Amino acid sequence: MSSTDLLNDYLPRRIGPIVLILVGVVVAVAVFLFLDHREHAQLESGFRLAAKERLAQVRRALTQAVQDVDRVAVLFQASDEVTHREFTAVSGVQRKQLLHAQVVKWAPRVSRSERVRFERQAQVDLPGFHITEESFGGKMIPASERNDHFPVFFTTPFAGNAAAVGFDLASDGMHRRSMEQARDNGLAVATVSAGEDKQSIFLIYHPAFTNDSKVETVGQRRRHLRGYILGTYLVGDLIASTLAGLESRGIDIKLHKLDPPPDQPLLHHSNGAADEMVSETVYSFFDVTNWRMKATFRLAGSQWQLVGTPGEAWFQAKNHVVPLLVSSVIIFATLLTYIFMVNLGRRDLGLQRVVSMLKRNQARLEEAQQLASIGSWELDLKSHNMWWSDEVFRIFGVDPLE
């Protein structure tokens, strides 16, 4: 066999294993992508179910917070004179039921003409009591004169909140706007305020009116306004407590107030880490732009929206072991098949070379016998079969085909 024949026979044998490798790699990649996509879809489906459940829980907790402040307001509807002990007893019960409330306050309406008398009466039980406001330097100073003051008079719990007693809510623009809205609507109003430790505070203002008075119009409500019950809630604690029985798995929950002017997000909550963000690596590997669950609802006179997004800890639950294992098995099987085919090809090529050599030697032997007029024969003594070479047939003038 010539080198050209060997080359022509060798190339097809090499192309086959190469094609096998390419096909195996393509199949392994396709299987990996299919399994990874299926797992990704299952992860997204699991996230949407979990996020929906958590948003519903948080919404119920916020609604419960407003309802509990409403229950404290019933005390003022039932009595013209509410003592500190009565307020503490009722608001304390609500705080125990809520668990999320930071503090519940009562701020009565004190007109300009009643200020001095009110301060003197308050100093009987609260020595040093004055109606105050916060200066630009952050210090508490006597409140400026205004038509109506709304000083914090009762607070539950008192410990840790004594400094707030006497603070005139009307001196703060945010408090004043929310209170005026609650007064004119005759209903509780909720808003948000920046708090310490990166936690926002959810504020609920519930107006209280004088008993046995008509408050059907805005004018009547302004005239018969008695004061406000104020409930304050640390949003992070509220949501963490609400979701305490659920596995958070890195779901980030944000609460927005949609009414103009829109407030900043109240909360970035994920596994208790308020500032956890999904890394750029996760965003580049997964398409999470549509991974959002939203719940829009109206509460306490405002439009709110809860948004659930996956945090990085959620994607850490994704397991690539199965797709990688299956793909690795396919590639390994492909390599084994490749090795077998290569070895088989090498063996066939070696056999072809031996056969070619034997044929060449046979041709040389026949040529030498013809030149020397010498033949060769063999006799099988058992079968009595005889074999003659071509030269023997020529010497005896016998046709090999006869």
Side-chain angles (χ1 to χ4, degrees):
M1 180 179 289
S2 65
S3 59
T4 303
D5 293 336
L6 290 175
L7 184 62
N8 292 335
D9 187 70
Y10 175 76
L11 287 179
R13 296 181 181 277
R14 297 296 294 177
I15 292 175
I18 293 176
V19 171
L20 174 68
I21 288 290
L22 294 177
V23 172
V25 171
V26 170
V27 171
V29 172
V31 170
F32 174 83
L33 293 177
F34 170 76
L35 294 177
D36 188 73
H37 175 75
R38 187 178 68 174
E39 188 173 349
H40 185 71
Q42 291 175 348
L43 193 67
E44 181 179 2
S45 176
F47 160 75
R48 293 189 180 280
L49 290 175
K52 183 178 180 180
E53 180 182 9
R54 283 153 181 76
L55 295 185
Q57 292 275 32
V58 174
R59 178 179 177 179
R60 283 193 290 269
L62 294 172
T63 303
Q64 183 66 36
V66 175
Q67 292 174 349
D68 283 335
V69 173
D70 291 344
R71 294 189 185 98
V72 177
V74 172
L75 174 65
F76 293 87
Q77 297 174 1
S79 175
D80 291 328
E81 296 292 336
V82 177
T83 65
H84 186 272
R85 179 177 297 179
E86 292 172 336
F87 178 81
T88 301
V90 174
S91 59
V93 169
Q94 298 304 323
R95 288 187 71 255
K96 290 180 180 179
Q97 292 177 350
L98 240 185
L99 298 178
H100 318 303
Q102 180 191 25
V103 62
V104 181
K105 303 173 184 177
W106 162 246
R109 179 183 188 180
V110 180
S111 65
R112 185 199 304 265
S113 60
E114 296 173 335
R115 175 175 178 173
V116 175
R117 181 180 60 83
F118 180 84
E119 288 180 331
R120 288 177 179 175
Q121 289 179 349
Q123 289 170 0
V124 174
D125 296 322
L126 299 171
F129 175 89
H130 290 284
I131 299 178
T132 59
E133 65 184 21
E134 187 175 358
S135 68
F136 290 106
K139 295 182 179 180
M140 303 305 293
I141 60 176
S144 303
E145 291 293 332
R146 50 182 57 91
N147 292 333
D148 290 311
H149 300 275
F150 294 91
V152 175
F153 192 50
F154 298 157
T155 178
T156 303
F158 185 80
N161 297 288
V165 175
F167 175 70
D168 187 4
L169 298 180
S171 66
D172 181 88
M174 183 201 68
H175 286 300
R176 186 171 59 252
R177 288 191 298 271
S178 298
M179 291 190 300
E180 290 173 351
Q181 181 183 353
R183 175 200 63 194
D184 292 346
N185 293 334
L187 300 171
V189 166
T191 188
V192 60
S193 174
E196 299 178 355
D197 301 327
K198 296 183 180 181
Q199 279 213 57
S200 298
I201 301 177
F202 187 60
L203 302 166
I204 303 172
Y205 303 85
H206 196 294
F209 302 97
T210 55
N211 296 330
D212 301 326
S213 59
K214 290 185 177 181
V215 288
E216 297 174 354
T217 66
V218 173
Q220 291 173 340
R221 297 187 190 111
R222 292 181 178 181
R223 185 165 53 253
H224 297 293
L225 180 65
R226 187 175 169 189
Y228 295 92
I229 300 95
L230 173 62
T232 63
Y233 304 82
L234 292 176
V235 183
D237 291 348
L238 185 148
I239 293 185
S241 177
T242 301
L243 304 181
L246 300 174
E247 184 184 359
S248 57
R249 290 184 61 189
I251 296 180
D252 183 64
I253 297 178
K254 299 179 183 179
L255 176 63
H256 301 266
K257 185 178 180 182
L258 301 182
D259 290 345
D263 293 315
Q264 294 296 320
L266 294 182
L267 176 71
H268 300 263
H269 172 83
S270 180
N271 282 343
D275 56 351
E276 180 175 341
M277 300 294 291
V278 179
S279 68
E280 294 296 330
T281 303
V282 171
Y283 271 122
S284 62
F285 193 80
F286 300 101
D287 181 14
V288 297
T289 54
N290 296 323
W291 283 40
R292 291 179 182 273
M293 288 297 294
K294 297 180 180 180
T296 304
F297 57 96
R298 191 160 188 84
L299 179 66
S302 297
Q303 195 78 3
W304 301 87
Q305 185 179 75
L306 285 164
V307 181
T309 55
E312 189 165 1
W314 182 269
F315 295 99
Q316 291 174 355
K318 184 175 177 62
N319 185 5
H320 295 283
V321 174
V322 174
L324 287 175
L325 182 61
V326 174
S327 300
S328 299
V329 169
I330 294 175
I331 291 177
F332 181 71
T334 302
L335 289 175
L336 289 179
T337 307
Y338 170 80
I339 294 173
F340 173 77
M341 292 182 65
V342 169
N343 290 333
L344 184 62
R346 289 176 179 176
R347 189 189 67 173
D348 291 344
L349 183 60
L351 291 175
Q352 288 181 5
R353 289 176 178 175
V354 171
V355 171
S356 177
M357 185 180 297
L358 290 175
K359 288 181 178 180
R360 187 165 57 250
N361 292 338
Q362 179 69 23
R364 290 174 180 174
L365 177 61
E366 291 178 355
E367 183 180 1
Q369 287 182 347
Q370 184 178 3
L371 292 174
S373 297
I374 298 174
S376 59
W377 58 273
E378 293 181 3
L379 175 61
D380 189 342
L381 297 178
K382 291 183 178 181
S383 62
H384 302 288
N385 291 327
M386 180 176 286
W387 171 84
W388 286 1
S389 67
D390 291 342
E391 187 62 23
V392 173
F393 280 101
R394 280 192 293 271
I395 291 173
F396 289 101
V398 179
D399 188 354
L401 300 178
E402 291 181 359

